[in-house]
Amino acid sequence: MTRHASLGLALAIMALSAWGIYSALDWPLKSKLFPLVIAIPLFCLATAEALWVILGKNSAASASDFKLSEDQEPAVARRRTLLAAAWTVGFFLLILLVGFPIAVPVMVFTYLKVQGKESWIFSAIFTGAVWLFFYGLFELLLHLHFPDGWLFGGFGGF
Amino acid sequence: MLDAFIQGLLLVLQWKAFLFMLGGIFVGFWVGLLPGLGGATTLALMLPFIYNMQPVEAFAFLLGMHSVVATTGDITSILFGVPGEATTAAIILDGHAMAKKGEAGRALGAALASSLIGALLGAAALALAIPIVRPLVLTFGSPELFMLAIVGLAFIASLSAQGARGMVRGFLAGGLGLFLAMVGQDPQAGVARYTLDTLYLWQGLDLVPVLVGLFAIPEIIDLVVRGTSIAGNAPTGRINRGALEGVKDVFRNFGLTIRCGLIGTFIGITPGLGGAVAQWMAYGHATQTARTPEERKGFGQGDVRGVIGPGAACNSKEGGALIPTIAFGVPGSTSMAILLGGFFLLGLVPGPDMLTKHLPVTFSLVWTIVLANIITVAACFLLLNRLTALTAIQGHLLVPVVLVLVFIGSYTSNSSYADIIVTIVFGAVGYFMVVAGWPRAPLVLGLVLGKIAENYLYISVARYDFAWLGRPVVVVLLIIAVGVILFPAVQAWRARRA
């Protein structure tokens, strides 16, 4: 997984920097100087990283950064990762469709019921508390405007 | 200078700023306690809330929150052996061992007292550094500031991962950050660069959605994957009985506390090293205080000095890390890179202005660290018994709340759904970087420094042509950058020879 992720990132950066160099060629010198100074070495480094992975030289280099827990079986971890991604994207789609004020309680309640297997009463109380926090802080206190969503207010918000 | 120092205190004590600081402390208190959320993540999450604040209020809020995260993180580390923060892992070795021996109160007392002393030491270092750093900074022009950005990036890229391979990944992440910073309208010629023909990208990538995605999404995924309560099965019961003994231990080992505090401050000042390094170096130093091999064996089995060392270093690094952030705009850690984003959101530019025009604001940061830590440690001692129950919060209760905060936080930066898409995209990037073992800090630093570096480079070339490369400070900084890049390779070569 580490190898695939590293290779994927390296290839993505190669593609990005190649596009960056190609696009910059048409710009005036003032505009293209910095992009070229950055994108050319970036492409070279990404190529080196990709070759390192492809040639099998995967060193145990680790970053001084947050590490994912390894307590779960790889298959379980993979399934739950996809689940987390689905919830994240699903929440976004819900916001697009019905807007924040409805999407927030719907998502919190559904998550607690489906993912957390909580009781109806607990889920309802917890959802109410989150919605009150959301409404009180963002709508009443900070006066932030949230659009109604595509279903009720048309295609806007971008 | 003294006037500004006192003015800084008065600014923090204004009711609004003080209330925001208390709010920040409240948030940081829980964030530190809960292993599911990191200090840097929360700092990123809270950035959108500072838009309408005055600088002093915003920093009282952000720094009040950030400077107490490590203190409460120690509690989770000691009680459950789960690091509340990445920077509080070293304290587990002896702190959790003490908790298992029934000395949790003593360990917590020692950790809290040493944390407070460490934080005060770091704040004092920041205050003392200002008069020294000020004349130095005022002599810096655009070429020197450009080179400083390069040195900062070299530091964080080469030190945030191990080995030559890690360094390549660090530079790749940093380069990616610099590349992403170029998205938007070019400030010199007005060319729309890498905007994908969308109006949203004309003003460039907003820092908040990027940071929120990069840091929060991987942690949310990890919480879901773990699928358990945050701290697992926790021992409960009264734990405050030995706390006073722990405080006494700190004063019995006062020299060690000060030395470890200084280690933390020094590492904080050095860009790229970060808190995780500080605590382990302090722990290593604490083990060196053992006089006999038998005494040495006691470390890891519940020696209180193994708690005092990392406790002091972890908090003193914050004051230290603020020195290069404020004076040079070179953040010493991921959190400081995010805090640097806060400076820009508020229209403040780190550098000479922070040491002249905005000096009272700078001193207000010192006072925020001092007051926030005193308040937090006092609150921890008062709440010691009740704190244990809170670490048993189930992950599935936290995930929806954090997701709501993530999406609202990113949406409110430009009131555009595109912000949420940016968050999701960078969430995926952050996740794959974590999986691949690539450091995320250089990417943040590159993104933050990109625009500044380009502007300084442009001004330098426009004003001095290429003669700026021969300026003495530029040459020294160039040598430092090369030295920083070569250092890991030289270290590896020496290790192979030995």
Side-chain angles (χ1 to χ4, degrees):
Chain A
M1 185 66 176
T2 306
R3 280 172 61 96
H4 289 145
S6 202
L7 182 62
L9 281 170
L11 291 175
I13 294 175
M14 276 173 71
L16 191 72
S17 50
W19 170 67
I21 295 164
Y22 179 75
S23 306
L25 294 175
D26 293 337
W27 300 335
L29 181 69
K30 274 182 194 174
S31 303
K32 74 178 172 190
L33 177 69
F34 200 65
L36 291 179
V37 164
I38 300 302
I40 292 170
L42 191 62
F43 181 83
C44 297
L45 279 173
T47 310
E49 173 66 24
L51 286 174
W52 246 325
V53 178
I54 291 165
L55 296 174
K57 291 181 179 172
N58 192 35
S59 75
S62 65
S64 307
D65 203 338
F66 161 73
K67 303 238 178 344
L68 297 169
S69 50
E70 293 168 345
D71 325 339
Q72 301 293 340
E73 291 288 318
V76 176
R78 207 163 28 246
R79 189 173 57 80
R80 288 184 179 171
T81 301
L82 290 173
L83 205 62
W87 276 106
T88 308
V89 176
F91 184 32
F92 172 59
L93 294 176
L94 195 63
I95 291 168
L96 276 185
L97 285 177
V98 295
F100 272 101
I102 296 175
V104 167
V106 169
M107 197 283 283
V108 174
F109 186 83
T110 318
Y111 192 91
L112 290 176
K113 269 312 292 171
V114 177
Q115 190 73 26
K117 312 244 183 316
E118 291 289 352
S119 69
W120 289 96
I121 295 173
F122 179 84
S123 302
I125 293 171
F126 193 89
T127 303
V130 173
W131 189 82
L132 268 180
F133 171 76
F134 165 79
Y135 184 75
L137 182 66
F138 298 103
E139 301 249 8
L140 290 183
L141 202 68
L142 297 172
H143 302 292
L144 294 174
H145 170 70
F146 294 101
D148 292 328
W150 290 355
L151 279 184
F152 308 115
F155 295 91
F158 273 97
Chain B
M1 184 72 71
L2 190 66
D3 282 354
F5 188 66
I6 294 165
Q7 220 180 325
L9 174 63
L10 295 176
L11 283 173
V12 181
L13 291 178
Q14 282 175 345
W15 71 270
K16 225 172 160 184
F18 193 76
L19 275 183
F20 275 118
M21 185 180 73
L22 289 181
I25 292 171
F26 182 79
V27 176
F29 192 97
W30 301 119
V31 167
L33 216 57
L34 300 174
L37 273 176
T41 306
T42 318
L43 209 52
L45 277 173
M46 293 298 142
L47 270 189
F49 296 102
I50 67 168
Y51 279 118
N52 295 325
M53 294 183 193
Q54 292 298 312
V56 174
E57 295 161 10
F59 289 119
F61 177 66
L62 291 179
L63 207 56
M65 185 189 78
H66 182 64
S67 60
V68 304
V69 164
T71 308
T72 51
D74 286 343
I75 296 172
T76 324
S77 299
I78 289 169
L79 289 177
F80 314 121
V82 177
E85 288 298 305
T87 53
T88 60
I91 213 162
I92 289 176
L93 294 180
D94 283 283
H96 191 53
M98 285 177 76
K100 284 195 281 192
K101 287 198 302 189
E103 291 183 325
R106 186 180 166 202
L108 284 171
L112 292 172
S114 60
S115 292
L116 179 60
I117 293 173
L120 297 181
L121 203 68
L126 173 60
L128 291 171
I130 288 167
I132 301 164
V133 166
R134 186 160 73 161
L136 185 73
V137 172
L138 292 177
T139 61
F140 278 24
S142 295
E144 288 80 11
L145 290 169
F146 169 73
M147 278 314 298
L148 264 177
I150 299 299
V151 169
L153 207 61
F155 256 111
I156 209 153
S158 64
L159 297 172
S160 55
Q162 285 90 47
R165 186 74 176 275
M167 196 161 69
V168 168
R169 290 171 176 177
F171 276 103
L172 266 170
L176 182 62
L178 286 171
F179 185 86
L180 294 170
M182 290 184 282
V183 173
Q185 206 174 17
D186 149 46
Q188 275 79 45
V191 173
R193 297 187 304 200
Y194 313 126
T195 56
L196 304 171
D197 292 329
T198 56
L199 197 60
Y200 172 80
L201 290 174
W202 266 59
Q203 56 187 340
L205 279 168
D206 196 288
L207 202 59
V208 174
V210 174
L211 291 181
V212 167
L214 208 57
F215 289 94
I217 300 286
E219 295 216 33
I220 290 172
I221 291 173
D222 195 48
L223 260 177
V224 175
V225 168
R226 274 155 52 198
T228 59
S229 72
I230 281 175
N233 298 322
T236 52
R238 295 190 71 79
I239 51 168
N240 63 348
R241 283 184 189 144
L244 190 64
E245 194 56 31
V247 177
K248 287 180 187 167
D249 281 324
V250 171
F251 288 98
R252 282 187 205 115
N253 296 284
F254 197 68
L256 175 70
T257 312
I258 297 294
R259 288 197 302 278
C260 289
L262 290 174
I263 289 173
T265 308
F266 177 73
I267 289 170
I269 293 171
T270 314
L273 289 180
V277 179
Q279 53 166 352
W280 289 110
M281 279 186 72
Y283 186 79
H285 177 68
T287 59
Q288 284 173 343
T289 58
R291 291 184 197 91
T292 61
E294 285 71 32
E295 212 181 317
R296 185 73 174 257
K297 279 182 193 163
F299 278 92
Q301 313 294 318
D303 193 308
V304 75
R305 287 171 295 180
V307 174
I308 292 169
C314 221
N315 275 33
S316 67
K317 75 175 193 308
E318 297 306 336
L322 271 170
I323 296 170
T325 310
I326 294 170
F328 304 109
V330 177
S333 62
T334 308
S335 302
M336 286 299 136
I338 298 169
L339 201 70
L340 192 66
F343 274 86
F344 292 114
L345 289 181
L346 295 164
L348 293 176
V349 180
D353 276 359
M354 290 305 294
L355 305 174
T356 51
K357 209 162 65 180
H358 303 301
L359 193 58
V361 176
T362 304
F363 276 120
S364 78
L365 304 183
V366 177
W367 285 111
T368 302
I369 294 176
V370 171
L371 294 174
N373 275 282
I374 291 173
I375 292 167
T376 306
V377 169
C380 285
F381 275 117
L382 287 172
L383 298 170
L384 224 48
N385 278 323
R386 299 184 191 279
L387 291 174
T388 50
L390 297 159
T391 46
I393 288 179
Q394 294 291 316
H396 70 261
L397 299 182
L398 202 63
V399 169
V401 178
V402 177
L403 256 184
V404 168
L405 278 176
V406 162
F407 279 17
I408 291 177
S410 61
Y411 176 81
T412 49
S413 49
N414 291 300
S415 294
S416 168
Y417 289 135
D419 287 327
I420 305 180
I421 295 175
V422 170
T423 296
I424 293 174
V425 168
F426 278 91
V429 172
Y431 175 76
F432 284 114
M433 286 180 83
V434 169
V435 170
W438 287 32
R440 291 172 296 174
L443 194 156
V444 176
L445 197 59
L447 188 61
V448 170
L449 291 178
K451 277 198 167 60
I452 313 169
E454 184 175 7
N455 278 339
Y456 285 141
L457 176 66
Y458 178 72
I459 296 168
S460 304
V461 174
R463 190 167 172 195
Y464 305 103
D465 209 354
F466 284 96
W468 65 272
L469 282 165
R471 285 163 73 105
V473 179
V474 170
V475 173
V476 170
L477 290 170
L478 196 64
I479 292 168
I480 292 173
V482 173
V484 165
I485 293 165
L486 291 180
F487 178 70
V490 173
Q491 216 177 20
W493 176 72
R494 282 175 65 180
R496 270 200 305 274
R497 278 192 68 189

